[in-house]
Amino acid sequence: MKGVSQDILEELGVQILLGNTYHLYLRPGVEQVRQLGGLHRFMAWPRAILTDSGGFQVFSLNELRQVTEEGVRFRSHLDGSSHFFTPESAMAAQIGLGADIIMAFDECTEHPAERERMRESMELTLRWAERSKKYFEAHKNEAPWSTDHVGPDAPVRTGERELAGAVERGIAERRSAGEVRAPAPTWSGAAQALFGIVQGGMDHALRRESAERTIKIGFSGYAIGGLSVGEPRALTREVVEATLEHLPKDKPRYLMGVGTPEEIVEYAGLGVDMMDCVLPTRAARHGLLFTSEGRVSIKQARYAGDQGPLDANCGCRVCQRYSRAYLRHLYAANEVLAQVLNTVHNLSFYLDTMRSVRHSIALGNKVQLFPGEQSQAKP
Amino acid sequence: MKGVSQDILEELGVQILLGNTYHLYLRPGVEQVRQLGGLHRFMAWPRAILTDSGGFQVFSLNELRQVTEEGVRFRSHLDGSSHFFTPESAMAAQIGLGADIIMAFDECTEHPAERERMRESMELTLRWAERSKKYFEAHKNEAPWSTDHVGPDAPVRTGERELAGAVERGIAERRSAGEVRAPAPTWSGAAQALFGIVQGGMDHALRRESAERTIKIGFSGYAIGGLSVGEPRALTREVVEATLEHLPKDKPRYLMGVGTPEEIVEYAGLGVDMMDCVLPTRAARHGLLFTSEGRVSIKQARYAGDQGPLDANCGCRVCQRYSRAYLRHLYAANEVLAQVLNTVHNLSFYLDTMRSVRHSIALGNKVQLFPGEQSQAKP
């Protein structure tokens, strides 16, 4: 998490981090991380980690990639060197990194796309999902923390397998709210959890087909991929709804690449369990801060003399200590500390949002925005 | 402190921070800080702050400055705009910032310099010291935290005036060790403490004259300026020794711009009470880390697989949590977190060094390096 140390993340109540397989594959390298005991031990993070398959990152390298049935050839953004990801190599990489949740290798369909292209891309993702599952089943015991193949001094996992706990709590909450009637999942904690990814572009029928055939392959959880790729937000919501209804309620449902605080609340209300997004951290680095009274662009001169806290309703260490004037100065002076403090606050705001969502679910209430956020949503 | 938040600094045991008058004068501006209640309140730092006079920073702007009897004209490194510092304006700036210790405006003599140039520069500094003292005495009650001239909602100083405590403890320790026989200083805590700066180049007789005439003007503490300007280290030590013997033992003695951990121990042993240096933080940003077993250049490939802590003898949050391999990765990947964690460790090492120095003084022992550092000093 750029600029924020792990102990601060723990203090904020972060339960799970997302690691980028593409970046870690390039630097420091999967084998290096594996030999160091896996990502948990390497980065000293005992709580849950999810790694993406690298597919989306590679998809973002527009000019530098070439997709075939076998996999994706791409060039490193660091040095231009050529690499090839396949479902098998993406699984091997994620097993080597040793995250708690790993993702099947998929092709993220571009938007806009013709229906035929959407179908072809969906079919390719389904074939890759099969191959991902097959490789995973054959090698799932090779995660660095579950074997001794790194020698007699093999490092062991620090901490508990909190992932299972965190996600299961969410499901238990929905169960207690009467939404889930299937039996609790029985993750043993002995292996990683492999999630499948539903594609199908913006076509509802293809999304349904993708969901059903992905479920048939069988995964520990299901992600909705291929959204937040430039389409209008109303369309995103339509596709999410059309996909969610075909996903099992007793498995984690993960919406990839979303979103704003409002979107998180909205999609949690629809039944999404997990989301990921660069927004809180990237926006923080650009001085855009989320508060209970709306967005604050801290770079603005109007804050130069503002002695109030960034968000009077926030209990984070930034809001408890610093004024808007100081945060504005740090940003204007291009201080690294601006990035650090802004990120801590935005993470705190997002985590507060999720705590509020979970609280609403536990109470059986409708999931909705904070009172402060509601006022912001008014015209 | 670049990249490190104030709560971490408090946790590390930092007692005093140095603020750069030149930088704060340019951005966000002295008047802005004054209106916000002074530097303590602006940056949410209740412990002690020292500001430099801006003289040394301006001295560093070789190409952009012009010295006259009246003061120094210089161009901003930010936008090239023209500014003029005088002893009076430097005092006004430091009073407006409201630090606990402020420095007389001096000319830092370049090295090497002819003896005539050293004398002229020293005489100028003495005239400026007189003017600094005169302006300070007339305006010392205008510090933002000692008046109500910022309106009815005038902010007050947070926290205690810990500076007096911190420096007095040091003097008390030397007193208990039999080195100081004069009565304890009686800082009231009602005004800032103005320190004079001894110049005189590398000439012992001029240093003595500068010390004696600066003392005659009368300050709350005395700094040795004009060193660490490119001269050999043996020469630095000679000049420090030649100057120290003419400075009162019952006032804080401050060696500016020094140094390495070894130098800090060495000069503390000679009777220096205060030092300041960019080394621990700047070195950290370049991956150079101080440890009980010597310097570690964390960028080196040899640490890529090193699972040990940076310094097994260090209790800081970095050494307690992360491996050298992880720190090396963060540095190699150009992560901001590398700079943050490296700075926290180096600060911790320096503060441990100072705690060790104080402990030795309290015990009446010779001030010397840690056992680990001694082994490092062997050939």
Side-chain angles (χ1 to χ4, degrees):
Chain A
M1 194 68 74
K2 286 186 186 299
V4 182
S5 65
Q6 279 77 316
D7 45 356
I8 306 284
L9 297 176
E10 283 182 348
E11 182 189 292
L12 286 169
V14 170
Q15 293 181 319
I16 180 166
L17 289 181
L18 188 152
N20 285 111
T21 297
Y22 167 78
H23 288 291
L24 291 164
Y25 162 86
L26 290 178
R27 195 168 56 184
V30 171
E31 184 54 24
Q32 180 71 268
V33 174
R34 194 185 63 75
Q35 286 189 9
L36 292 166
L39 203 45
H40 284 278
R41 191 176 176 96
F42 176 59
M43 67 182 289
W45 180 252
R47 300 184 185 178
I49 300 176
L50 177 151
T51 45
D52 60 15
S53 68
F56 182 78
Q57 297 279 336
V58 169
F59 167 82
S60 309
L61 300 170
N62 280 307
E63 303 298 306
L64 304 172
R65 78 188 146 88
Q66 183 189 5
V67 181
T68 64
E69 180 65 31
E70 181 58 16
V72 183
R73 180 161 299 283
F74 61 96
R75 290 192 178 279
S76 160
H77 73 288
L78 294 174
D79 61 6
S81 56
S82 180
H83 301 268
F84 194 57
F85 270 2
T86 64
E88 292 77 16
S89 73
M91 288 303 100
Q94 291 183 83
I95 291 169
L97 294 173
D100 304 273
I101 300 179
I102 68 177
M103 305 300 298
F105 192 65
D106 65 325
E107 186 189 45
C108 181
T109 317
E110 66 282 2
H111 176 79
E114 297 296 318
R115 189 162 194 279
E116 196 47 37
R117 163 68 190 140
M118 291 183 202
R119 168 165 284 285
E120 278 173 14
S121 177
M122 180 197 82
E123 295 282 359
L124 181 64
T125 288
L126 283 164
R127 290 192 296 275
W128 285 358
E130 290 267 20
R131 287 166 58 187
S132 295
K133 175 81 185 293
K134 187 176 170 194
Y135 187 94
F136 176 73
E137 290 300 331
H139 298 272
K140 65 184 178 186
N141 294 319
E142 295 169 11
W145 37 264
S146 66
T147 71
D148 63 353
H149 64 271
V150 290
D153 295 324
V156 293
R157 270 289 298 284
T158 37
E160 296 301 310
R161 289 185 58 75
E162 298 191 27
L163 172 273
V167 177
E168 281 184 4
R169 267 195 301 281
I171 293 173
E173 282 161 2
R174 284 199 285 135
R175 180 171 298 108
S176 73
E179 288 190 38
V180 175
R181 289 191 182 76
T186 53
W187 287 352
S188 68
Q192 298 171 286
L194 175 63
F195 281 25
I197 304 179
V198 174
Q199 291 286 349
M202 305 300 159
D203 186 283
H204 293 201
L206 289 179
R207 283 281 170 178
R208 176 180 183 159
E209 184 177 344
S210 177
E212 289 172 351
R213 290 169 61 186
T214 306
I215 292 164
K216 206 165 168 188
I217 297 169
F219 292 96
S220 297
Y222 297 93
I224 304 174
L227 295 176
S228 287
V229 289
E231 78 282 6
R233 294 202 171 169
L235 183 54
T236 314
R237 180 178 165 126
E238 272 178 35
V239 176
V240 169
E241 287 194 277
T243 309
L244 270 180
E245 62 178 306
H246 304 294
L247 293 178
K249 285 189 170 177
D250 61 341
K251 293 277 172 67
R253 298 183 291 192
Y254 166 24
L255 177 54
M256 305 180 89
V258 169
T260 64
E262 296 78 10
E263 287 167 342
I264 284 180
V265 172
E266 179 183 2
Y267 290 120
L270 295 178
V272 169
D273 300 293
M274 302 165 62
M275 284 165 266
D276 78 277
C277 195
V278 295
L279 183 59
T281 51
R282 181 174 291 166
R285 296 197 296 277
H286 291 93
L288 180 66
L289 302 171
F290 298 96
T291 80
S292 62
E293 298 189 332
R295 269 75 162 163
V296 168
S297 176
I298 201 66
K299 68 183 77 171
Q300 293 175 359
R302 60 196 282 207
Y303 299 119
D306 188 338
Q307 301 205 45
L310 173 57
D311 184 349
N313 297 316
C314 179
C316 84
R317 54 170 71 208
V318 177
C319 292
Q320 291 300 308
R321 182 156 198 154
Y322 304 104
S323 65
R324 290 175 167 194
Y326 184 63
L327 295 176
R328 193 265 172 184
H329 165 68
L330 291 179
Y331 189 88
N334 203 24
E335 283 288 338
V336 161
L337 190 56
Q339 161 174 349
V340 173
L341 298 180
N342 291 348
T343 302
V344 167
H345 169 78
N346 272 0
L347 287 176
S348 177
F349 187 82
Y350 265 66
L351 291 159
D352 278 347
T353 300
M354 281 308 297
R355 275 186 283 267
S356 167
V357 163
R358 284 195 286 267
H359 191 62
S360 294
I361 292 172
L363 293 177
N365 293 342
K366 185 170 170 345
V367 174
Q368 59 187 11
L369 293 171
F370 295 157
E373 289 177 314
Q374 288 180 302
S375 69
Q376 170 197 7
K378 285 176 188 166
Chain B
M1 194 68 74
K2 287 187 186 297
V4 183
S5 65
Q6 280 77 317
D7 44 357
I8 306 284
L9 297 176
E10 283 182 348
E11 184 190 292
L12 285 170
V14 170
Q15 293 181 320
I16 181 167
L17 288 181
L18 188 152
N20 285 110
T21 297
Y22 167 78
H23 287 291
L24 292 163
Y25 161 87
L26 291 179
R27 197 169 54 184
V30 171
E31 185 54 24
Q32 181 71 266
V33 174
R34 195 184 62 76
Q35 285 189 8
L36 291 167
L39 203 46
H40 285 278
R41 191 177 177 96
F42 176 60
M43 67 181 291
W45 180 253
R47 301 184 185 176
I49 299 175
L50 177 150
T51 46
D52 60 16
S53 68
F56 183 77
Q57 297 279 335
V58 169
F59 166 81
S60 309
L61 299 170
N62 280 308
E63 303 297 307
L64 304 170
R65 77 188 148 88
Q66 182 190 4
V67 181
T68 64
E69 179 65 31
E70 181 58 15
V72 183
R73 181 162 298 283
F74 61 96
R75 291 193 177 279
S76 159
H77 73 288
L78 294 174
D79 62 6
S81 57
S82 180
H83 301 268
F84 194 57
F85 270 2
T86 64
E88 291 77 17
S89 73
M91 288 302 101
Q94 291 183 83
I95 291 169
L97 294 174
D100 304 274
I101 300 179
I102 67 178
M103 305 300 298
F105 192 64
D106 65 325
E107 186 189 45
C108 181
T109 317
E110 68 281 1
H111 175 79
E114 297 295 318
R115 190 162 193 279
E116 195 48 36
R117 162 68 191 140
M118 291 183 202
R119 166 165 286 286
E120 280 172 13
S121 176
M122 178 198 82
E123 295 282 358
L124 181 64
T125 288
L126 284 164
R127 291 191 296 275
W128 285 359
E130 290 266 20
R131 287 166 59 188
S132 295
K133 175 82 185 293
K134 187 176 171 194
Y135 187 94
F136 175 73
E137 290 300 331
H139 298 271
K140 65 184 179 185
N141 293 319
E142 294 170 14
W145 37 263
S146 66
T147 73
D148 63 353
H149 63 270
V150 290
D153 295 324
V156 293
R157 270 288 299 283
T158 38
E160 297 299 313
R161 289 187 57 76
E162 299 190 26
L163 171 272
V167 177
E168 282 185 3
R169 267 196 300 282
I171 293 174
E173 283 161 1
R174 283 200 286 136
R175 181 171 299 106
S176 74
E179 289 190 36
V180 176
R181 289 191 181 79
T186 53
W187 287 352
S188 69
Q192 298 170 286
L194 174 63
F195 281 23
I197 303 178
V198 174
Q199 293 285 351
M202 305 301 158
D203 186 284
H204 293 200
L206 290 179
R207 284 280 170 179
R208 176 181 184 158
E209 183 176 345
S210 176
E212 289 172 350
R213 290 169 61 186
T214 305
I215 293 164
K216 205 166 170 190
I217 298 169
F219 292 96
S220 297
Y222 296 93
I224 304 175
L227 295 177
S228 287
V229 289
E231 79 282 5
R233 294 202 170 167
L235 183 55
T236 313
R237 181 180 164 124
E238 273 179 34
V239 176
V240 170
E241 285 193 278
T243 310
L244 271 180
E245 64 178 303
H246 304 294
L247 293 178
K249 285 189 171 178
D250 61 341
K251 293 277 171 69
R253 298 184 290 193
Y254 167 22
L255 176 56
M256 304 180 90
V258 169
T260 64
E262 296 78 10
E263 287 166 343
I264 284 181
V265 172
E266 178 182 4
Y267 290 119
L270 294 178
V272 169
D273 301 293
M274 302 164 62
M275 284 165 266
D276 77 279
C277 196
V278 296
L279 183 59
T281 51
R282 181 174 291 167
R285 295 198 296 278
H286 291 94
L288 181 66
L289 302 171
F290 297 96
T291 80
S292 63
E293 299 190 332
R295 269 75 162 162
V296 168
S297 175
I298 200 68
K299 68 183 78 173
Q300 293 175 359
R302 60 195 281 208
Y303 300 118
D306 188 338
Q307 301 204 48
L310 172 58
D311 184 349
N313 296 317
C314 178
C316 84
R317 54 169 72 209
V318 177
C319 291
Q320 291 300 307
R321 181 155 199 155
Y322 304 104
S323 65
R324 291 176 166 193
Y326 185 62
L327 295 176
R328 194 264 172 184
H329 165 69
L330 291 178
Y331 189 89
N334 203 24
E335 284 288 338
V336 161
L337 191 55
Q339 162 175 348
V340 173
L341 297 181
N342 291 348
T343 302
V344 167
H345 169 78
N346 271 0
L347 287 177
S348 177
F349 187 82
Y350 265 67
L351 291 159
D352 277 347
T353 300
M354 280 308 296
R355 275 186 283 267
S356 167
V357 163
R358 283 195 287 267
H359 191 61
S360 294
I361 293 172
L363 292 177
N365 292 342
K366 185 167 168 354
V367 174
Q368 58 186 13
L369 292 171
F370 295 159
E373 288 177 317
Q374 288 180 301
S375 69
Q376 171 196 6
K378 285 177 189 166

